[in-house]
Amino acid sequence: MITREITVDGLIDFIHSEEFSQLEPKPITPGRAVSQANNPFASPKDIALVYVSDNNKLLAFAGILPEGTEEGEKPIFSNSGWWVHREGGRKYGLQVFIKALQNSYRRMFFTDCSEHTKAILERTGLFTFQKPSAGLRIFLNIYSGDLLRKKGYNRVVSNLFSTADDVLNYLWSFRIKAWKKLNPHQGYTIHSVNLIDEELNRYIKKHSSNYYLKQDGEKLNWIIKYPWIATKGNDLPVSYPFSQVAESFHQEFLVVKNEGITVAVLMLSIRDHHASVPYIYYSGKHLQNTIIVILNFLLQQKVNSLIIFHPEILKVLDKISIPAIFQKKLSRHSGYSKELSGIFSGDKCFQDGEGDVAFT
C-alpha cells in the first residue's frame, strides 16, 4: 500500500506516467489535470492530489484546488473530489482527507457536498457548515423522450414520447408568448463574448463586493479555456468515479446592456441541454430586467432546465411569473475549516460555480 501526493507542477508528468496508466480507477482525468496545472491561483508546489493505492488498485483519493484571494491574504483551497473504494478503501478515506486538509494548511472549504460528507466532516470537529443554500430548478421544456432514450428504452417508445413532447411544447409556447408580453425588456440586449477583456474585468471587480471569494476575468477565462467535461466522441474517457463526459457541454460569457451600457456580465453553462449560471455580476437596479433577458435567451436556446442558487436571483424569480412547466426546490451544503471562520462570516455569499462546480 502506498500514499502519494501530486503537486500542481507534477500533474502533467503524472497523467503520462506508467503509474497513472496502471491505476484503476484513476484519481484524476487528463482534462482536470491540465486545467489544474494552469490554475492561475496555484503555486507550482501546492499539493493538488492525495491518493492511496495497493497493487495498482486505487483505494481512496482527495483533490485540492487552490482558490484566489485578495492580495496579501493567505491562500485558501477548495476540496475537489473525495472518493473511497467501497471494499478496500474505507479505512483510508479519512486518512487521505486529513492529509489533503494538512496540505491546505487547514484552510479548506466546500461549496456543494452531500449530506453524508457533511455528517462525516462535522464529526471531526474541524469544520463549520452554513445553513443549507436554497436553490431552484426551473423546467422550461418537456423532454420525456430524451429521458427514456438515455435510460435505454426502445427507440419506438422514446420516439413516440418525443413526438408527444413536441406537441406539448408547441402548446406551451403560447404561454411563453403571453409571458414575454407581460415582461417586456425594451432597450436591453444580450450578446456573447469569447473572453473577459480588461473593460469587462473592471466591471466584474466593481460588482463583486457581495461574494466571499476573489472574482476577476483571469479566473473566469481559466475556467472556460480548460474545461473538465469532454463531449462524446472527442476524448476517450478513463476509469474515473466522477463526471468527465457529456453528450453536449458548452460555456460562454454573456454581456447584458441597457441603452448600450453594460449592466450585467455572466458565465452561462449548458450541459446536455440543462443550464446554470456559475458566475454573474450586475448593476442592482437592472437585475430584474437582466433575469428576464437571460430567460428569453434560454428559451430561444430551447434549454430543458435552469438551476439557480444565487439568493438575489431567486428573489427576482419569486417576483416575476416564470414561464416554467415545473419548478423543483433544491438545497446544497457549504462549509469551511474553522481556520476560515473570519473569511466566510457575514452577509456575503458564494457564487453558484465556486469551488469546482463551474467545471462540472
Side-chain angles (χ1 to χ4, degrees):
M1 191 272 293
I2 63 167
T3 300
R4 288 268 278 126
E5 298 176 355
I6 309 297
T7 59
V8 169
D9 65 354
L11 284 168
I12 303 303
D13 285 342
F14 174 61
I15 62 172
H16 290 103
S17 68
E18 183 178 351
E19 179 180 359
F20 179 81
S21 68
Q22 293 178 349
L23 267 177
E24 289 296 331
K26 312 299 184 191
I28 195 169
T29 65
R32 289 182 183 230
V34 170
S35 173
Q36 292 186 50
N38 286 277
N39 182 350
F41 304 121
S43 296
K45 297 306 177 185
D46 283 339
I47 301 298
L49 179 67
V50 179
Y51 72 86
V52 175
S53 65
D54 186 28
N55 290 325
N56 298 322
K57 178 181 179 181
L58 184 67
L59 299 176
F61 77 84
I64 308 169
L65 191 65
E67 269 288 349
T69 58
E70 298 302 329
E71 190 173 347
E73 291 186 5
K74 294 180 181 178
I76 58 175
F77 305 81
S78 67
N79 172 252
S80 179
W82 180 22
W83 177 86
V84 178
H85 195 283
R86 287 184 179 180
E87 297 172 7
R90 290 187 177 182
K91 64 179 180 180
Y92 302 110
L94 194 56
Q95 171 189 320
V96 162
F97 182 83
I98 294 299
K99 272 194 171 292
L101 181 62
Q102 291 169 344
N103 283 311
S104 303
Y105 312 102
R106 298 170 73 97
R107 296 171 61 82
M108 181 185 286
F109 69 93
F110 295 77
T111 55
D112 184 14
C113 70
S114 68
E115 186 72 43
H116 177 65
T117 299
K118 174 178 176 287
I120 294 173
L121 295 180
E122 282 182 321
R123 287 198 295 270
T124 68
L126 300 172
F127 288 84
T128 299
F129 281 84
Q130 300 176 327
K131 179 182 177 182
S133 302
L136 193 65
R137 184 170 188 173
I138 306 164
F139 292 86
L140 301 170
N141 204 28
I142 302 170
Y143 57 100
S144 60
D146 286 345
L147 283 176
L148 293 176
R149 195 171 298 112
K150 286 182 179 179
K151 290 181 178 180
Y153 277 71
N154 180 280
R155 181 171 293 183
V156 173
V157 174
S158 61
N159 286 345
L160 181 63
F161 273 84
S162 290
T163 300
D165 292 343
D166 291 340
V167 173
L168 292 172
N169 284 321
Y170 173 74
L171 295 173
W172 187 251
S173 69
F174 293 99
R175 164 72 178 88
I176 292 173
K177 288 178 182 178
W179 176 81
K180 288 181 177 181
K181 287 182 180 179
L182 290 172
N183 294 277
H185 51 280
Q186 286 89 352
Y188 287 85
T189 61
I190 186 168
H191 70 277
S192 175
V193 295
N194 293 326
L195 293 174
I196 300 298
D197 60 17
E198 188 51 44
E199 181 181 351
L200 292 177
N201 190 37
R202 286 195 295 270
Y203 181 90
I204 288 170
K205 290 182 177 180
K206 184 178 178 181
H207 295 86
S208 297
S209 60
N210 292 332
Y211 305 121
Y212 289 127
L213 301 177
K214 183 177 182 181
Q215 311 289 311
D216 64 14
E218 186 177 29
K219 173 180 185 172
L220 303 187
N221 288 336
W222 163 57
I223 293 170
I224 278 192
K225 282 181 180 178
Y226 299 99
W228 293 7
I229 302 296
T231 53
K232 287 184 177 179
N234 288 338
D235 289 313
L236 292 175
V238 296
S239 174
Y240 181 71
F242 298 117
S243 297
Q244 60 173 315
V245 178
E247 289 186 2
S248 62
F249 183 71
H250 172 70
Q251 291 181 311
E252 63 182 323
F253 299 121
L254 296 174
V255 178
V256 179
K257 292 189 175 185
N258 175 238
E259 305 296 345
I261 298 173
T262 298
V263 297
V265 178
L266 63 136
M267 176 190 287
L268 177 68
S269 180
I270 303 178
R271 176 175 173 172
D272 291 339
H273 307 292
H274 297 282
S276 62
V277 181
Y279 295 92
I280 184 168
Y281 312 89
Y282 56 87
S283 305
K285 67 178 182 179
H286 295 280
L287 182 57
Q288 181 164 319
N289 281 313
T290 293
I291 300 308
I292 292 170
V293 170
I294 293 170
L295 285 171
N296 271 282
F297 181 85
L298 294 176
L299 289 166
Q300 291 172 0
Q301 299 292 312
K302 298 187 183 301
V303 302
N304 290 331
S305 71
L306 169 66
I307 294 177
I308 292 291
F309 280 91
H310 194 292
E312 295 304 315
I313 295 179
L314 290 174
K315 289 178 184 177
V316 171
L317 292 174
D318 196 43
K319 290 180 183 178
I320 62 177
S321 178
I322 314 167
I325 292 166
F326 177 69
Q327 297 181 52
K328 181 180 179 181
K329 290 184 178 180
L330 306 172
S331 67
R332 68 184 187 186
H333 299 289
S334 56
Y336 47 87
S337 57
K338 292 186 176 179
E339 282 77 3
L340 295 177
S341 335
I343 293 179
F344 296 130
S345 57
D347 297 328
K348 295 184 179 183
C349 66
F350 287 113
Q351 289 260 33
D352 284 16
E354 297 293 18
D356 61 7
V357 178
F359 289 97
T360 60

